[in-house]
Amino acid sequence: MNKQKRARQILLYALYITSVCCLQVTFPGFFRLFGRTADLMLVFTVFAGYLFGPVDGIVVGLIVGLFRDYFSGPVVMGLNQEPVALLGIGMLSFMYIGLLSALLFRKRFRRKLFLGILQVELMTLIYYVSGHVLSYIYFSVSRTMTSYHSLRYVVVSCILPQLLVNAIAALPILLVLRFIGPYSKGVRSALVDGYSMEDKQWQSV
Amino acid sequence: MRKLFSNKLFVIALVSLILIAFIVFSSIPGSPLSNITKPLSIVIDPIQSVFKKAGSKISDFYAAIAEGMEIRKENEELREQIAELEYQIQQGEEAKLRWEELKSAFAIQDTFENYHIYGASVLTRESDDWFSVIRINVGERDDFDSRTTSYAVVDAQMNLVGRVMVTDEDSSKVLPLLHEGFSLSAKVNVVNGALVMLNGDITLKKDGLCLVTRIPTNTILQVGDELVTSGEGGLFPAGIPIGVIESFDDSDPNHLSATLRPYASLADIKDVFILVPNPNADKQQETDPDTSENTVPSSVPETSDNSETMDTAETNDTTVVTGGDTEA
């Protein structure tokens, strides 16, 4: 990749990441449907990994996670029974989202465009299910709460609407990434993952 | 060594370990890792502000077009109201003079007389169920920080919104009232009202409610009873309105509990105000023993003396300071 292409890639990634992160936390009401806000950060990270491979997925995941930690990092009870804001949870979880998005079903999906939405749904499911399971464990162990959300609430009011809202938000992000960049022509030619791209079945619509 | 770092699995495991260590160290109170977001604040906050301003301008523009006819109508009505209000202002001026006379005669103090009030705008809101603190646009550059203490955050009607948790260079994190990590001592707003504990609760949060616990036995809370901050614990001044009782559960007499609906609705709030204890208040009390009995926050924590460096508009001891781009 020559310098010009590299600069374009970095510039576009920086633009996308700041836009996606800032939009989600500044105007959550605009992206809200069925009581849930579209998780633009998660959708973007999934697509970075799914379309452009594990390295892009991990790097984007780390940066998006850093933004998430910075803007609204999770709060837990500290050792002195005072709430403390944690740093790093967003980075860790989004790094793995980026990595998993690049690796899961890569042979089956072949990074085809609209199957990316399926990957977003899968990653949303993994993120929210694991988030609720870990929260449940944390509250049970720390005994800071006597009760947790009912399973029905988690499934019907949290996960299902979130899947729907993320799927809607995924379409414009997917089209922008595929047809504007960060890579010219929307395809990262270097990304073959050991498979030939000559059969034109990879990264096709 | 180079071979080791070329192993992708090793690199991922190493990064994961570093991040886990990061999480653990950031959970230690007073950890220097909390300062790591300060350089980020210098870069991210201006970008964030640009997004916020651009978004506000776009929404204002569309609102102006959509509501053009209504605005014209309202304008006519407002002109009539202005004339009426002018008259009321004149009457108010007279009433103010009388109030000042009464105040000095009976040594009455305003509720938050010994506090600076910083104005701030909400920059960012929650990301999801777990990343749910908010950011406001005042920070250490506005000459206050939360390393030694925390501050109460209220809305324009002086209702409690939350507390400042972390201050960065240009912004601060606020723990909202509904967050499950939030707790404070409150009291029922009647003479000799019962002291209770107010906590955020994960199951009640979705309905916009808080949990009230440690209600003294034989205390019966009525739906509609108002709770205010008790002033105990040292973080908040006494008397800040919190909300009203929504339900009361006395099924277990040893563990009475209630739910509270806060007055402040975070979803609608654009601007907030931070109450910072005035360090000069103690000095004034020493020099003016007559009014020392009326001091509101007996247990307010000490803060660094930052009042002198600020651009303030003082009225008596209460100071209103605008930090950042407050829209109100």
Side-chain angles (χ1 to χ4, degrees):
Chain A
M1 189 185 282
N2 62 33
K3 274 185 184 173
Q4 201 178 354
K5 280 185 178 173
R6 174 70 78 188
R8 180 182 184 275
Q9 179 207 348
I10 293 170
L11 202 72
L12 276 176
Y13 261 137
L15 185 72
Y16 291 151
I17 289 171
T18 45
S19 304
V20 158
C21 296
C22 292
L23 282 175
Q24 185 181 334
V25 292
T26 313
F27 310 107
F30 188 76
F31 304 102
R32 190 175 282 266
L33 203 66
F34 309 117
R36 305 292 300 181
T37 303
D39 203 333
L40 305 180
M41 297 188 205
L42 185 132
V43 172
F44 182 77
T45 307
V46 171
F47 281 141
Y50 177 78
L51 291 175
F52 308 123
V55 175
D56 284 36
I58 288 173
V59 173
V60 168
L62 281 170
I63 299 170
V64 167
L66 179 66
F67 270 81
R68 200 146 167 136
D69 281 331
Y70 172 75
F71 284 138
S72 46
V75 173
V76 295
M77 277 296 168
L79 297 171
N80 58 352
Q81 290 303 306
E82 276 289 303
V84 287
L86 292 183
L87 290 169
I89 288 191
M91 290 173 81
L92 189 68
S93 49
F94 275 71
M95 181 187 85
Y96 278 104
I97 285 169
L99 180 67
L100 281 178
S101 307
L103 298 183
L104 272 187
F105 299 115
R106 63 174 178 172
K107 283 185 197 169
R108 193 171 291 274
F109 286 0
R110 290 179 170 239
R111 305 194 195 286
K112 284 182 181 173
L113 203 60
F114 290 110
L115 288 179
I117 294 175
L118 205 61
Q119 191 77 318
V120 167
E121 296 295 81
L122 192 66
M123 288 301 140
T124 305
L125 196 67
I126 291 172
Y127 177 73
Y128 280 88
V129 168
S130 52
H132 279 291
V133 169
L134 289 173
S135 294
Y136 179 77
I137 293 169
Y138 166 73
F139 285 124
S140 303
V141 171
S142 66
R143 294 183 182 176
T144 47
M145 290 285 146
T146 49
S147 61
Y148 192 71
H149 297 303
S150 66
L151 186 63
R152 184 187 148 82
Y153 174 80
V154 170
V155 175
V156 177
S157 302
C158 291
I159 294 176
L160 289 180
Q162 193 67 53
L163 286 170
L164 189 63
V165 173
N166 280 5
I168 295 167
L171 194 63
I173 294 176
L174 179 63
L175 294 176
V176 166
L177 281 178
R178 175 66 176 80
F179 293 107
I180 298 177
Y183 297 95
S184 55
K185 295 177 187 172
V187 177
R188 186 178 177 189
S189 52
L191 178 76
V192 288
D193 291 350
Y195 297 93
S196 168
M197 288 186 66
E198 288 169 4
D199 59 3
K200 305 281 184 191
Q201 286 186 7
W202 284 75
Q203 290 188 330
S204 63
V205 175
Chain B
M1 195 68 165
R2 186 178 281 181
K3 216 172 186 180
L4 205 59
F5 277 99
S6 64
N7 186 336
K8 287 171 190 169
L9 269 178
F10 173 77
V11 173
I12 291 168
L14 187 70
V15 173
S16 301
L17 276 175
I18 291 169
L19 286 174
I20 289 167
F22 209 72
I23 294 165
V24 171
F25 282 118
S26 70
S27 70
I28 298 168
S31 160
L33 275 181
S34 59
N35 295 328
I36 213 160
T37 54
K38 275 170 194 156
L40 271 179
S41 160
I42 296 166
V43 180
I44 297 174
D45 287 342
I47 300 170
Q48 169 65 26
S49 296
V50 168
F51 270 89
K52 192 174 184 298
K53 279 178 189 166
S56 300
K57 279 189 178 165
I58 291 167
S59 69
D60 288 350
F61 176 72
Y62 280 106
I65 291 171
E67 296 161 9
M69 293 293 282
E70 279 180 39
I71 289 168
R72 197 176 290 177
K73 214 177 194 180
E74 269 181 27
N75 200 19
E76 284 172 14
E77 287 171 4
L78 285 170
R79 278 181 191 168
E80 287 170 15
Q81 282 181 18
I82 285 169
E84 201 174 308
L85 288 169
E86 291 273 1
Y87 172 69
Q88 285 181 9
I89 286 170
Q90 282 180 349
Q91 286 191 319
E93 290 286 340
E94 274 184 39
K96 190 188 166 196
L97 280 172
R98 281 185 193 161
W99 162 247
E100 291 295 338
E101 284 169 14
L102 281 169
K103 197 177 154 188
S104 58
F106 291 100
I108 298 168
Q109 282 203 317
D110 292 336
T111 315
F112 309 121
E113 191 163 346
N114 294 326
Y115 284 81
H116 289 299
I117 301 172
Y118 289 74
S121 289
V122 175
L123 272 180
T124 67
R125 292 164 194 277
E126 65 213 31
S127 301
D128 63 28
D129 300 6
W130 306 286
F131 292 76
S132 53
V133 295
I134 60 171
R135 253 184 197 276
I136 55 172
N137 68 341
V138 292
E140 285 176 9
R141 204 168 286 193
D142 299 293
D143 281 336
F144 83 100
D145 77 82
S146 64
R147 272 174 295 187
T148 50
T149 184
S150 183
Y151 306 108
V153 180
V154 295
D155 67 4
Q157 285 76 42
M158 285 289 151
N159 300 316
L160 190 68
V161 171
R163 57 179 276 199
V164 174
M165 273 192 67
V166 181
T167 46
D168 286 320
E169 203 63 22
D170 287 316
S171 62
S172 305
K173 272 184 181 174
V174 172
L175 186 69
L177 184 59
L178 293 178
H179 194 282
E180 53 273 15
F182 191 95
S183 69
L184 89 157
S185 171
K187 70 171 227 163
V188 183
N189 196 18
V190 291
V191 178
N192 296 324
L195 282 176
V196 296
M197 185 60 85
L198 187 76
N199 299 296
D201 186 274
I202 197 159
T203 52
L204 295 173
K205 189 165 83 172
K206 63 180 191 290
D207 302 317
L209 299 172
C210 297
L211 185 67
V212 182
T213 55
R214 297 195 202 168
I215 302 168
T217 45
N218 302 326
T219 301
I220 296 172
L221 295 178
Q222 303 289 341
V223 172
D225 278 355
E226 185 185 53
L227 290 196
V228 295
T229 51
S230 69
E232 293 196 2
L235 282 183
F236 305 103
I240 303 175
I242 305 170
V244 289
I245 295 295
E246 180 105 343
S247 67
F248 178 59
D249 179 14
D250 58 353
S251 54
D252 180 356
N254 294 323
H255 294 96
L256 299 174
S257 67
T259 59
L260 173 127
R261 183 167 294 281
Y263 289 129
S265 167
L266 201 62
D268 307 325
I269 290 175
K270 284 184 180 173
D271 300 307
V272 291
F273 299 89
I274 304 154
L275 300 180
V276 179
N278 183 359
N280 295 328
D282 294 339
K283 290 174 196 168
Q284 269 184 345
Q285 284 160 31
E286 283 167 19
T287 54
D288 188 8
D290 293 343
T291 57
S292 60
E293 285 176 13
N294 297 306
T295 306
V296 179
S298 58
S299 52
V300 167
E302 289 181 7
T303 54
S304 59
D305 189 351
N306 52 29
S307 59
E308 287 169 13
T309 57
M310 302 198 62
D311 181 18
T312 57
E314 292 198 17
T315 50
N316 294 335
D317 290 322
T318 308
T319 316
V320 179
V321 184
T322 306
D325 312 318
T326 312
E327 288 172 13

